[in-house]
Amino acid sequence: MTTRRKFITQTALAAGSFPFILKVTADQKINNFPLVISTWDAGLRANAKAWELLKNGKSALDAVEQGVMITESEINCCVGLSGNPDRDGIVTLDASIMNHLGDCGSVAALEQIEHPISVARAVMEKSPHVMLVGQGAQQFALANGFELKPKKLSPDAEKNYKEWLKKSQYKPMINIENIGNKTNAPNKLENGQFNHDTIALLALDNIQNLSGSCTTSGMGFKYRGRVGDSPIIGAGMYVDNEVGAAAATGHGEEVIRIAGSHLVVELMRLGKSPKAACKAAIERAIKLRGDKLKDKQIAFIAVNKQGEAAGYALQKGFSYALYSEKHNNELIAADWLMG
Ligand code: ASP
């Protein structure tokens, strides 16, 4: 006959011993999932979608894809096809996605497709590759049922481009990455907030799996063919399901130089909190580049496996949106190091 005591012991051994069970119990005290964190003000709208999916039991992967699809379709947002064009007047899009298994996909310099993030997911799920670029990426998208959208610029982008052509100077602005000045920047919203050309979103789902996404029209008026950090796995976004996930926004070249998102995840692996890891990555960039960062912005968001999440920026003005049981889709102003 199996006594109660014997039954508990046997179950514990079958589950992989008592220490494991005790650890899970201890971790539950700090666990905070599901959770969504994303960049900038547009993150609030993307988070709302991602949160709804997570609450309905969907995976982190579905949440990170469908969350940023909201932003990609926003008309007055600089992400997606309504974003600013390159210096030849053509909108080119970069995006990346990664799941808890290390599967990832990305596209760069993709034209005329509304949802580059979904093409990135298709690259991950339906091709043997990680990254497709330019015409090849578009060809792959069309072959997989995506629709070709007109080449036409959005009214805002057209206005911005005409203004930019007057001087034709590539001069990204901190937190705006656009022309004009902070008081009359063309992408200033009625509520006084600014739109940005990138959204990155990280999610931790009900079964504690992580995924990440990042999608952008890139720096406005960039050279034709320029690719930023966003579609580069490990630079613009990275997920390691044992440790955490991170993503970046801002001046892509500076993020690429330090393999930023991978660096943040590795710093979390070494025991840093998400906030401390983001800060240390910014410090690394400063150490590497010093004064060359004076007129640039870079920022990171990160979440660890337990659902601690935060962001940190090089310069003042970066905010991130956080949604969990503890944070009701709050827009949080990140701490910064310079300026
Ligand atoms: N990181 C993006 C890029 O360099 C731009 C941004 O985040 O605003 O393309």
Side-chain angles (χ1 to χ4, degrees):
M1 200 174 93
T2 309
T3 62
R4 187 176 141 75
R5 189 186 159 87
K6 205 168 154 197
F7 173 76
I8 291 171
T9 311
Q10 280 168 348
T11 311
L13 288 173
S17 83
F18 266 120
F20 171 73
I21 291 174
L22 290 175
K23 182 172 181 301
V24 169
T25 312
D27 280 352
Q28 273 165 357
K29 290 194 186 121
I30 52 164
N31 279 342
N32 179 33
F33 55 87
L35 176 144
V36 190
I37 182 170
S38 60
T39 55
W40 305 110
D41 326 344
L44 292 171
R45 274 117 45 206
N47 276 5
K49 179 68 188 178
W51 182 254
E52 178 195 315
L53 291 165
L54 293 176
K55 290 306 276 180
N56 285 320
K58 299 284 186 219
S59 67
L61 182 65
D62 287 337
V64 300
E65 180 193 9
Q66 291 182 43
V68 302
M69 283 170 73
I70 297 285
T71 324
E72 286 178 338
S73 293
E74 285 181 345
I75 304 294
N76 63 351
C77 193
C78 293
V79 174
L81 289 175
S82 68
N84 284 326
D86 63 17
R87 63 183 195 172
D88 289 7
I90 299 162
V91 177
T92 65
L93 306 175
D94 298 341
S96 63
I97 195 161
M98 189 161 187
N99 71 10
H100 63 289
L101 299 170
D103 300 322
C104 49
S106 75
V107 288
L110 177 64
E111 293 174 23
Q112 293 178 262
I113 301 286
E114 185 174 353
H115 291 301
I117 196 64
S118 302
V119 185
R121 183 167 176 175
V123 171
M124 171 176 112
E125 291 176 341
K126 298 179 181 166
S127 90
H129 305 301
V130 163
M131 187 174 198
L132 294 177
V133 306
Q135 271 200 328
Q138 192 188 72
Q139 195 180 320
F140 173 82
L142 298 181
N144 281 280
F146 291 85
E147 188 192 332
L148 202 61
K149 295 285 181 183
K151 246 188 175 153
K152 207 173 153 11
L153 295 183
S154 70
D156 277 356
E158 195 171 347
K159 204 164 71 192
N160 295 344
Y161 185 52
K162 279 192 182 142
E163 191 59 34
W164 179 81
L165 280 174
K166 290 181 187 161
K167 287 195 183 152
S168 302
Q169 242 180 15
Y170 180 69
K171 217 177 166 199
M173 288 179 66
I174 291 172
N175 296 328
I176 298 176
E177 298 114 18
N178 210 331
I179 52 173
N181 59 45
K182 282 190 184 179
T183 50
N184 66 357
N187 59 347
K188 191 172 181 190
L189 300 175
E190 277 166 14
N191 61 9
Q193 294 170 336
F194 293 95
N195 273 329
H196 297 275
D197 47 31
T198 301
I199 182 162
L201 189 148
L202 309 170
L204 182 61
D205 64 22
N206 289 312
I207 53 170
Q208 219 175 351
N209 279 332
L210 287 157
S211 288
S213 63
C214 190
T215 178
T216 186
S217 56
M219 305 295 272
F221 322 115
K222 59 196 174 188
Y223 280 39
R224 181 123 182 89
R226 180 264 187 187
V227 171
D229 58 318
S230 310
I232 298 178
I233 303 296
M237 187 271 302
Y238 195 70
V239 177
D240 183 320
N241 206 47
E242 273 188 2
V243 177
T249 184
H251 212 106
E253 283 75 4
E254 302 302 342
V255 175
I256 293 170
R257 283 189 175 99
I258 56 164
S261 295
H262 186 261
L263 176 60
V264 172
V265 170
E266 290 308 302
L267 289 165
M268 289 194 286
R269 191 192 306 279
L270 294 176
K272 286 196 188 295
S273 70
K275 184 171 177 177
C278 292
K279 184 179 180 200
I282 302 273
E283 284 165 348
R284 180 77 62 88
I286 295 174
K287 189 169 173 219
L288 186 68
R289 301 280 286 162
D291 267 6
K292 291 183 187 133
L293 294 181
K294 181 160 88 348
D295 301 319
K296 294 176 182 170
Q297 173 67 301
I298 59 169
F300 293 101
I301 53 171
V303 55
N304 66 16
K305 186 78 175 164
Q306 287 70 41
E308 270 183 283
Y312 214 95
L314 174 66
Q315 312 266 2
K316 187 177 178 179
F318 170 62
S319 51
Y320 58 94
L322 186 56
Y323 210 156
S324 72
E325 297 295 351
K326 290 186 193 160
H327 296 271
N328 190 18
N329 210 10
E330 289 165 30
L331 190 65
I332 299 171
D335 288 341
W336 69 95
L337 273 174
M338 233 186 190

